[in-house]
Amino acid sequence: AIEISYDENTDYEICAATYVPIYKGDAAVHCPYTGAAYLASFKGKLDPLTHLAEIGLPSSGLPGPR
């Protein structure tokens, strides 16, 4: 069995790199291209999913999915 630590009664996103929950109100950053959520410690790193954009940077143009 795998022990999972999360609060099912609180809204959250899943960090795309670590697969841990990021609860509403906690610091999170997003990829400007895909909209994927990441823990704040990933800010400024290259998005590991696409290798196209820097996590946490603002972007212009059409918004990505959220």
Side-chain angles (χ1 to χ4, degrees), residues 5-7 10-31 34-40 65-66:
S5 176
Y6 79 101
D7 180 0
T10 303
D11 291 338
Y12 64 93
E13 297 177 289
I14 298 292
C15 175
T18 62
Y19 306 113
V20 298
I22 304 169
Y23 293 104
K24 186 174 184 177
D26 289 348
V29 289
H30 293 86
C31 171
T34 65
Y38 291 91
L39 296 169
R66 286 258 166 122

